[in-house]
Amino acid sequence: MSLANAPTPLSTVLIANRGEIACRVIRTARRLGLKSVAVYSDADAMAYHVREADEALRLGPAPARESYLNVKAVIEAAKRSGASAIHPGYGFLSENAEFVAACEQAGIVFIGPPASAIAAMGDKSAAKARMDAAGVPLVPGYHGDDQDEATLKTEADQIGYPVLLKASAGGGGKGMRIVERGEDFQAALEGCRRESQAAFNDQRMLIEKYLTQPRHVEVQVFCDSHGDGVYLFERDCSVQRRHQKVLEEAPAPGMTQELRRQMGDAAVRAAKEIGYVGAGTVEFLLNADNSFYFMEMNTRLQVEHPVTEMITGEDLVEWQLRVAAGLPLPKRQEELTITGHAFEARLYAEDPEQDFLPATGHLERFELDMAGANLDPSRVRLDSGVEAGDEITMYYDPMLAKLITHGDDRDQALATLNRALSALDVSGVTTNRAFLQRLASHADFRKAELTTRFIELHEAELFSKATLDNEAYASAALFALDLLQRESHKDSPWARRDGWRLNAPARIRIALTDPAHAGDDADSSAILTVLAERQGKSAWRLQVNDHILEGQLQRLEGDGVAILLDGHRRRWLARRDRTPHGDVLVLGDAEQETRLFWRRLDAVDHGHHEVDATLTAPMHGTVVTLLIEPGERVEKGTPLMVMEAMKMEHTLNAPADGVVEAFHFAAGDTVGQGDELLTFNADE
Ligand code: ADP
């Protein structure tokens, strides 16, 4: 049936989102013969989703508050484009009951649940009370109205430690703390209340038994406006960092038919209890003994929905559109089946070695060569919100794309995921690609030994701590020298700063840092200095760790270089990534990649360590607050100012004992990567 003739006719859909989810909705809308309208902020005027849509309308300036979160602007855009429905995607306005009400008022269909259902799940305590009444199992705990400290302490003692304190109004892991012992309860409660007050203007807490090795298993549910509901099975999303999912799969390993039915029924019961309509996800914690507990319901389509699509063969966005058009669910419970196994890996612009710090920059390359890597297009899906050439800005979530694979069984789907991850060619911006590969190829992950603490438990193997040999450092130094030489041809800051001349004899020091140790103290042994002396046009004598190597670099086609070191010639793919923490040299071959931060030190040899007299912005962002007064004397390591980029805060610390002469920006100002933030006068 065409959606134009449905009970609630749909012909034009506005997608109030950006990135991969906007592109994904546009694809399905097009297939169903609907016109798609994109919206964009100033930062996204040229973005992929804008290029993909039939029509696009500007919302406002780059900050989300003024664009994608601006209810009025989105409704205006919908009216202007004549859209009959709005798909909210995830994040932004997708779980905003006021926005849903505004849609209703404007006579526009909101593709999602009614405002009342969103509101019912918005407060953790209220939601738990409702679920309890509906017979959905809850983590043992307390979610009552009495917020007296003595009451809360008594409840915590009764539940038994460890307990988890959670802000009732919470989300995104804020206002949440584990309490190991009764003695720690009071301090933790105070901390949580403070955090919750600051973030949500609400101090109410709930307490849960803290489960030590649970899995995160969630059930996809779907309800139509005729009172029917089904579940499309479960997903395991245990692999998380900072309570954010990284790798997801469906079905959940080790699931029995009986448990699947129990969890599915509980999820549908939860949805029906609140009069749910559309796609929703009921999240559970699953214990090793197969006991499961309701955690929360996400009243929208989830990022990880494609794994469900892969195993069921259904298009969930199509389901959403049909339900929004007033049609019944396309399938009954007994018509739904699971075929094979699917994985999703989330590709983020971030640096796992820097505590997952988001990265920005110019995406030079972004390609998955399916044919070249022998990948079957019916088994591999790349849901992307970007293309090569795009700018990755600081304004929004750093997720770039999702790689989804399918196989007849878990092993096959995982092998395909690994192959696809290694075939994914991405450069220009630091990503978690290699980290995902280490995760996906980890022996315990292969054995499906999953818990929400997986990344924490396997830290040693997941974060590359490999120490490099002298040849690797020498090769990287040669590449750095080559870059410097190229830059000196242009009127580059290098040339200006130190009078570098192409043919002059030169003695240069290059500082190299293994990113695995980059967090270490700035003047610790983590930094290796290579002393280079020019021998000929491109020949160098290098001193690395007291070893002398003779080296030469030759550029080949594309990123190819040949490096000759002491009579050993090897080919590499060499590139330079600009990250928030500085430039990274990347030298790779088919099997591995060496990544090193680099910095040119003065050509002249100094007997002591020099301290930069300026502090520059490590990435694009905004200044949140200045922590000291100009002129104040500070010790090395004292926090000086806080910046925010991509929803995360970064503190800049004093590089040495000294005095801040001046700040060049005030709170609220936008700064670009490399901008000089302040003038610092280090003590002699
Ligand atoms: P938020 O809404 O802030 O994201 P959630 O309640 O959804 O908070 O919990 C986020 C994550 O914290 C879960 O995915 C799980 O990994 C962990 N978690 C939550 N509750 C518990 C619990 N009672 N025991 C152990 N881990 C928990």
Side-chain angles (χ1 to χ4, degrees), residues 47-114:
Y48 191 26
H49 75 279
V50 173
R51 302 196 294 268
E52 284 289 286
D54 294 326
E55 221 179 284
L57 287 159
R58 175 181 180 269
L59 290 176
R65 272 186 312 281
E66 297 167 55
S67 49
Y68 299 104
L69 286 171
N70 183 339
V71 172
K72 232 179 104 202
V74 173
I75 300 277
E76 267 317 300
K79 284 185 181 160
R80 243 177 94 186
S81 64
S84 42
I86 296 181
H87 193 298
Y90 48 72
F92 294 129
L93 295 170
S94 61
E95 293 179 282
N96 184 319
E98 280 164 41
F99 176 63
V100 181
C103 288
E104 275 165 25
Q105 224 169 37
I108 298 164
V109 176
F110 173 79
I111 302 174

Side-chain angles (χ1 to χ4, degrees), residues 329-548:
L329 291 172
K331 287 202 169 154
R332 291 194 307 270
Q333 190 66 56
E334 55 279 15
E335 292 172 310
L336 289 162
T337 51
I338 297 178
T339 307
H341 201 99
F343 283 96
E344 175 183 275
R346 299 188 186 192
L347 186 75
Y348 288 101
E350 66 180 17
D351 189 352
E353 315 290 342
Q354 300 279 346
D355 200 19
F356 301 101
L357 184 73
T360 57
H362 181 75
L363 193 62
E364 274 157 30
R365 280 206 308 253
F366 186 71
E367 199 195 345
L368 179 62
D369 177 5
M370 295 265 215
N374 204 11
L375 297 166
D376 175 354
S378 70
R379 302 283 195 149
V380 181
R381 181 170 144 186
L382 182 64
D383 279 19
S384 172
V386 293
E387 283 185 315
D390 284 355
E391 285 305 317
I392 310 306
T393 72
M394 58 155 214
Y395 294 105
Y396 316 109
D397 186 274
M399 194 176 79
L400 298 178
K402 309 182 302 203
L403 189 56
I404 306 118
T405 64
H406 185 252
D408 294 339
D409 54 29
R410 191 175 188 273
D411 286 344
Q412 199 190 77
L414 191 55
T416 306
L417 180 68
N418 270 300
R419 247 183 320 124
L421 279 170
S422 52
L424 189 66
D425 182 10
V426 44
S427 74
V429 177
T430 305
T431 71
N432 65 340
R433 191 201 60 82
F435 178 74
L436 288 172
Q437 213 171 350
R438 285 195 290 274
L439 267 176
S441 57
H442 194 283
D444 285 359
F445 188 77
R446 254 199 327 262
K447 285 187 273 177
E449 286 176 6
L450 307 170
T451 88
T452 52
R453 293 181 56 224
F454 189 89
I455 291 178
E456 225 179 298
L457 289 172
H458 299 291
E459 214 176 274
E461 309 96 80
L462 293 175
F463 297 89
S464 61
K465 289 271 193 290
T467 38
L468 301 166
D469 59 15
N470 293 336
E471 249 184 70
Y473 281 109
S475 302
L478 283 171
F479 182 39
L481 290 162
D482 181 69
L483 291 173
L484 287 174
Q485 195 152 342
R486 280 166 179 263
E487 289 194 1
S488 73
H489 286 291
K490 307 178 225 148
D491 180 26
S492 79
W494 294 111
R496 284 201 306 275
R497 203 179 296 167
D498 47 58
W500 168 278
R501 293 287 175 276
L502 179 59
N503 296 313
R507 203 159 173 259
I508 298 172
R509 294 192 312 148
I510 307 272
L512 298 167
T513 319
D514 190 336
H517 304 295
D520 301 359
D521 198 49
D523 49 18
S524 78
S525 56
I527 301 178
L528 184 123
T529 305
V530 177
L531 177 65
E533 287 176 297
R534 183 193 292 281
Q535 304 292 298
K537 193 158 168 285
S538 62
W540 295 87
R541 185 171 178 275
L542 305 164
Q543 186 182 333
V544 188
N545 281 328
D546 296 332
H547 288 267
I548 303 292

